[in-house]
Amino acid sequence: MALNYKCKSQKRSAVEKSMNTFLIIYLAILLFEAILSTILKYAWQAEDKWDEPFYNQKTEQEKNSSRILKFISDFLAFLVLYNFIIPISLYVTVEMQKFLGSFFIGWDLDLYHEESDQKAQVNTSDLNEELGQVEYVFTDKTGTLTENEMQFRECSINGVKYREMNGKLVPEGMTDDSPDGSSPHLMGEELLFLKAVSLCHTVQISYDQPDSLLGGDPFSHANGFSSNNMEYYASSPDEKALVEATKRIGVAFTGSSGDTMEIQTFGKSEKYKLLHVLEFDPDRRRMSVILQTPSGGKVLFTKGAESAILPFAIIGEIEKTRLHVDEFALKGLRTLVVACRHFSPEEYIDVDKRLTSARTALQQREEKLQEAFAYIERDLQLLGATGVEDKLQDKVQETIEALRLAGIKVWVLTGDKHETAVSVSLSCGHFHRTMNILELLQQRSDNECAEQLRRLARRLKEDHVIQHGLVVDGASLSLALREHEKLFMEVCKNCSAVLCCRMAPLQKAKVNTY
């Protein structure tokens, strides 16, 4: 319990803070009056004739009692006499106001949900002032600002951009004028890209077969494939959208049984043996599978962020793909880069030994796995990139604008790349066109980060009229919070909106604690 305990700062509302301030003032007045009255009493009774009236003469015991105890007794007597200065009814009045004020939330038509015929439900009388003390809102992008319903839009294969039209991949600038049902004309590189996308994932399949309930064979899909009763399920909506897209185009993932993955390439079944899965992690920002092809070869398919794939690619249209990824990002699309690596028999034996050794290590298993993954996921052949669209939630722009008018600053935390994140921020109203966008990106050292923060602080001081927005990436954020926390927070507080991109999940949690 002690190790898990985190010291949290007390959150007090403005009303509670002001009441406590007045209470301290009233208490100080009470103590001052009690002390002053006690002193004046002894000054008054300094002369014998004013000591005590004839009807209240002191006893011998009282005359010989300690003067200190007598002073304390008189002080406490005056304290009781003046205690009405502390307004005990103030708290009762404020609590009553809170209780009555909570009804207005339920009566507010702007908070009424017409579809479910429900008004806002208030479960605490403190809700009004709790809402009033919100200064910052931290939000993720995917599933919060966006619907988390992905749609495949574009892809880049071997340096050529494609889009999907009527279930076919069409190069940019061309139209799909071929008749329905015509045989597809895909080159080897395009086909390899589609196979990589349809095999490098953790998607599961659900088969909806009503006839199995009537005594039919529930495993009939193992021998025969029907795309009408098949539904994909995945922890990542990106993966689901990509696998569904390759299925529409003609390379369909039809299921996995044990260590066998099956795809149907334009009706022709192909079975791949799953040898290893190199799981996704936030540090590598990619995931990979090692498969045995139907011909017996060993191949690695990997997909991930362009910063995690392109530096390790040695073959393929690297620069063209990088430009296409940036173009997709400027359109607000979520991007993934796909690559592969073919192993010779000797190379695979080495890879298998390294992975097995790392997975069975009793000590420093994580470090050894990372070393093995880094050794395997290199010398890649770049296949292409994908662009997936995630639609904005309804009325997200109006909501963010209302929060801004209420004086609340919105921070968006996302793992997307810089261009995608800025594009979505502009489209959802988090950043607006008249806002001056400041950048803290790609900082590589503490000194460089500090100098950039000082430049941003100077710009903020020089220009008070224009609203400012700040874009910071995960690497720069780590440097800023490590050595220059106060300077970074000063810059952030003077910005109307902050966008943190390229964030790992742990970094998102860390930002919220600050």
Side-chain angles (χ1 to χ4, degrees):
M1 287 174 67
L3 289 171
N4 287 320
Y5 176 74
K6 291 183 179 178
C7 186
K8 300 284 180 69
S9 59
Q10 291 291 325
K11 294 182 179 178
R12 302 183 188 278
S13 68
V15 174
E16 193 176 353
K17 286 177 181 176
S18 62
M19 285 174 60
N20 289 341
T21 303
F22 286 126
L23 186 65
I24 291 169
I25 293 171
Y26 292 141
L27 185 60
I29 293 172
L30 174 63
L31 292 172
F32 174 74
E33 284 195 342
I35 293 170
L36 181 63
S37 298
T38 307
I39 293 171
L40 289 175
K41 178 194 173 186
Y42 281 94
W44 175 262
Q45 292 178 345
E47 297 182 32
D48 291 339
K49 63 177 182 178
W50 303 116
D51 188 12
E52 288 291 346
F54 68 92
Y55 53 80
N56 192 25
Q57 292 294 319
K58 294 179 183 176
T59 63
E60 197 66 31
Q61 185 179 356
E62 287 175 334
K63 289 179 181 178
N64 297 327
S65 63
S66 170
R67 295 182 66 84
I68 296 174
L69 290 176
K70 182 61 178 168
F71 184 89
I72 294 172
S73 175
D74 289 335
F75 170 75
L76 292 175
F78 281 115
L79 211 59
V80 172
L81 187 64
Y82 297 143
N83 69 62
F84 62 86
I85 291 173
I86 305 292
I88 303 300
S89 63
L90 178 64
Y91 285 91
V92 179
T93 305
V94 170
E95 285 298 323
M96 185 62 70
Q97 181 272 330
K98 288 181 187 177
F99 173 71
L100 295 175
S102 66
F103 286 103
F104 286 89
I105 296 176
W107 296 336
D108 194 336
L109 290 176
D110 288 335
L111 299 176
Y112 171 71
H113 191 246
E114 194 171 352
E115 286 79 2
S116 60
D117 189 28
Q118 283 186 327
K119 63 180 182 179
Q121 196 170 12
V122 182
N123 294 321
T124 170
S125 61
D126 294 336
L127 186 59
N128 249 333
E129 62 175 314
E130 285 177 1
L131 289 173
Q133 70 187 47
V134 174
E135 294 181 51
Y136 294 89
V137 170
F138 294 88
T139 174
D140 192 15
K141 183 179 72 67
T142 306
T144 309
L145 300 182
T146 60
E147 293 181 352
N148 206 18
E149 290 291 333
M150 310 298 178
Q151 292 292 328
F152 176 79
R153 288 290 177 244
E154 295 183 67
C155 66
S156 170
I157 306 174
N158 200 29
V160 180
K161 280 200 292 186
Y162 293 83
R163 53 197 174 94
E164 183 190 354
M165 291 184 67
N166 300 324
K168 298 180 180 65
L169 275 183
V170 180
E172 187 181 39
M174 296 180 65
T175 57
D176 177 33
D177 51 5
S178 61
D180 291 339
S182 62
S183 59
H185 300 284
L186 292 178
M187 306 296 288
E189 198 76 29
E190 297 163 348
L191 205 55
L192 185 60
F193 172 84
L194 293 175
K195 287 180 181 180
V197 172
S198 61
L199 288 167
C200 184
H201 54 72
T202 55
V203 172
Q204 300 295 319
I205 297 179
S206 171
Y207 290 89
D208 181 19
Q209 289 186 320
D211 58 336
S212 66
L213 300 175
L214 301 174
D217 182 8
F219 301 102
S220 60
H221 64 266
N223 300 317
F225 168 63
S226 171
S227 62
N228 296 326
N229 56 17
M230 186 175 69
E231 189 171 353
Y232 295 120
Y233 290 92
S235 57
S236 166
D238 299 76
E239 286 190 336
K240 182 174 184 289
L242 291 173
V243 174
E244 286 175 342
T246 58
K247 176 188 168 187
R248 291 193 300 270
I249 293 165
V251 181
F253 171 63
T254 57
S256 57
S257 176
D259 59 355
T260 302
M261 298 181 75
E262 183 180 3
I263 61 172
Q264 290 218 350
T265 308
F266 303 108
K268 181 184 176 183
S269 177
E270 295 181 20
K271 291 185 178 179
Y272 290 77
K273 185 177 180 181
L274 181 62
L275 302 172
H276 293 284
V277 177
L278 282 60
E279 298 84 0
F280 174 87
D281 66 67
D283 295 323
R284 283 168 43 246
R285 298 180 67 82
R286 58 182 179 267
M287 71 89 61
S288 306
V289 293
I290 300 177
L291 304 166
Q292 179 176 306
T293 64
S295 61
K298 308 296 191 297
V299 63
L300 169 96
F301 288 131
T302 183
K303 71 168 188 275
E306 93 286 346
S307 61
I309 302 288
L310 294 180
F312 303 100
I314 58 172
I315 306 172
E317 297 288 348
I318 298 171
E319 290 309 315
K320 283 186 180 179
T321 305
R322 194 191 304 275
L323 288 173
H324 291 166
V325 167
D326 291 341
E327 288 176 25
F328 295 163
L330 287 171
K331 295 177 183 177
L333 302 181
R334 294 164 63 91
T335 58
L336 284 173
V337 175
V338 182
C340 71
R341 179 184 176 187
H342 296 275
F343 296 113
S344 67
E346 294 79 14
E347 285 176 331
Y348 178 71
I349 291 171
D350 182 33
V351 164
D352 187 53
K353 282 182 180 177
R354 284 176 180 269
L355 278 174
T356 305
S357 173
R359 292 188 193 280
T360 56
L362 297 177
Q363 293 180 339
Q364 297 180 326
R365 183 179 300 171
E366 289 299 321
E367 290 82 352
K368 290 179 179 178
L369 275 173
Q370 292 300 321
E371 288 176 9
F373 289 171
Y375 176 78
I376 295 164
E377 295 170 327
R378 60 186 177 87
D379 300 337
L380 301 173
Q381 176 188 344
L382 183 62
L383 298 177
T386 62
V388 176
E389 181 185 23
D390 190 4
K391 291 184 178 178
L392 291 175
Q393 297 271 16
D394 290 338
K395 297 186 178 179
V396 66
Q397 189 165 358
E398 294 91 325
T399 304
I400 290 179
E401 188 59 36
L403 290 171
R404 186 179 289 114
L405 290 172
I408 296 173
K409 296 179 180 180
V410 179
W411 287 42
V412 175
L413 315 175
T414 178
D416 286 350
K417 65 177 304 203
H418 165 230
E419 292 84 359
T420 305
V422 171
S423 177
V424 173
S425 279
L426 286 168
S427 60
C428 73
H430 178 233
F431 287 164
H432 51 81
R433 301 291 174 181
T434 59
M435 189 178 281
N436 184 23
I437 307 298
L438 307 175
E439 293 184 345
L440 184 66
L441 302 170
Q442 299 177 348
Q443 305 299 306
R444 293 180 175 83
S445 66
D446 286 332
N447 292 335
E448 186 183 342
C449 183
E451 184 58 35
Q452 177 65 4
L453 282 171
R454 291 189 195 99
R455 281 197 294 267
L456 295 179
R458 282 196 297 270
R459 286 185 64 182
L460 289 166
K461 287 179 181 178
E462 290 167 2
D463 193 350
H464 298 286
V465 180
I466 300 175
Q467 285 189 324
H468 298 273
L470 177 66
V471 184
V472 56
D473 61 12
S476 304
L477 183 74
S478 297
L479 289 172
L481 293 179
R482 187 170 61 193
E483 297 289 337
H484 318 288
E485 181 187 332
K486 288 184 178 179
L487 186 57
F488 177 68
M489 297 310 293
E490 181 187 342
V491 170
C492 290
K493 286 178 181 178
N494 289 315
C495 291
S496 303
V498 177
L499 171 63
C500 301
C501 56
R502 285 285 186 223
M503 297 279 286
L506 192 62
Q507 284 181 311
K508 293 181 182 179
K510 193 175 180 181
V511 168
N512 287 328
T513 60
Y514 280 96

